[in-house]
Amino acid sequence: DAKTTQPNSMESNEEEPVHLPCNHSTISGTDYIHWYRQLPSQGPEYVIHGLTSNVNNRMASLAIAEDRKSSTLILHRATLRDAAVYYCILRSNNDMRFGAGTRLTVKP
Amino acid sequence: DGGITQSPKYLFRKEGQNVTLSCEQNLNHDAMYWYRQDPGQGLRLIYYSQIVNDFQKGDIAEGYSVSREKKESFPLTVTSAQKNPTAFYLCASSVRINTEAFFGQGTRLTVV
């Protein structure tokens, strides 16, 4: 069973911020929260990951709730190239299971 | 350049034939994974390996087999027992759970 819950789809306007939510109410203390995105007919691409604290990198920011039962991927200024399926996954051992993800549409 | 390579990109086979998909990485990663993706769906875990000469079944291992004789290679065989093998197959590798995983560009298998 998938351990994360994400909306099936979201829309955003170009150059506006996007907040992609992920619920993981059964997260354990050793689970890392990872985000990947997948463009059509390509392999997924790593976006960001974190454990407890918020994280920033050149692609995005990851905001993790204090109880760790939810997280939000933040794209600060969406571009057309950000249109993809975004996956939120938990990793606590060396298996790596994906859910259905959120399909992000970016409108010009 | 370091990375993970899947070959071929497109593969066609006749029904009833076994076929082996290649996955090679030169990232010195211990863990490797195989996924299947059907149109409009997420990734489903077939097999994974944490170390050479060891591998575990994922959620949909029936009809598939793997080997891990070398750290850099994790081939997947789609056997004739797999009832619906036409799909997009993805391979990935990683060092640890707190590092990023790298994916290949996938192999699209069509069985006719």
Side-chain angles (χ1 to χ4, degrees):
Chain A
D1 293 336
K3 297 186 289 185
T4 63
T5 304
Q6 300 177 253
N8 290 334
S9 62
M10 292 185 64
E11 285 189 353
S12 172
N13 293 318
E14 196 175 11
E15 299 190 1
E16 290 186 356
V18 182
H19 290 232
L20 297 165
C22 181
N23 287 318
H24 27 79
S25 58
T26 59
I27 191 170
S28 73
T30 57
D31 281 333
Y32 281 82
I33 303 161
H34 285 243
W35 283 81
Y36 291 81
R37 70 181 186 182
Q38 186 180 24
L39 299 172
S41 298
Q42 295 188 23
E45 170 190 33
Y46 167 81
V47 178
I48 200 166
H49 76 278
L51 183 61
T52 57
S53 303
N54 294 344
V55 184
N56 300 299
N57 66 20
R58 63 175 179 81
M59 290 181 70
S61 295
L62 176 60
I64 301 173
E66 193 169 339
D67 63 5
R68 300 212 323 128
K69 294 185 177 182
S70 65
S71 61
T72 302
L73 179 71
I74 302 166
L75 306 179
H76 296 286
R77 289 183 66 212
T79 69
L80 297 178
R81 289 192 301 269
D82 291 322
V85 178
Y86 287 79
Y87 297 98
C88 166
I89 66 171
L90 303 180
R91 298 189 67 188
S92 60
N93 51 42
N94 263 326
D95 66 356
M96 191 167 61
R97 288 175 163 84
F98 288 72
T102 297
R103 182 174 300 278
L104 175 66
T105 302
V106 180
K107 296 182 288 185
Chain B
D1 288 346
I4 181 165
T5 303
Q6 291 186 244
S7 61
K9 189 172 183 179
Y10 298 97
L11 190 55
F12 296 87
R13 279 295 182 271
K14 291 184 177 180
E15 190 173 347
Q17 291 181 334
N18 291 355
V19 59
T20 297
L21 281 58
S22 170
C23 179
E24 303 277 336
Q25 54 96 1
N26 59 4
L27 301 165
N28 202 32
H29 288 173
D30 285 315
M32 297 187 74
Y33 311 81
W34 273 107
Y35 297 89
R36 170 184 173 134
Q37 188 172 37
D38 293 291
Q41 306 297 312
L43 283 68
R44 290 188 290 168
L45 183 63
I46 305 173
Y47 269 98
Y48 63 101
S49 169
Q50 300 184 35
I51 199 167
V52 173
N53 293 322
D54 186 50
F55 48 82
Q56 288 78 41
K57 293 182 179 180
D59 299 322
I60 56 165
E62 185 175 352
Y64 300 98
S65 66
V66 293
S67 63
R68 188 83 187 278
E69 297 176 0
K70 299 185 297 182
K71 189 175 187 178
E72 57 270 24
S73 178
F74 191 40
L76 173 74
T77 297
V78 184
T79 75
S80 57
Q82 169 50 235
K83 295 182 179 179
N84 186 18
T86 294
F88 187 49
Y89 290 88
L90 286 157
C91 179
S93 71
S94 73
V95 175
R96 295 178 295 275
I97 62 171
N98 61 340
T99 60
E100 64 182 288
F102 290 82
F103 283 80
Q105 288 303 298
T107 292
R108 192 167 298 280
L109 174 65
T110 302
V111 176
V112 296

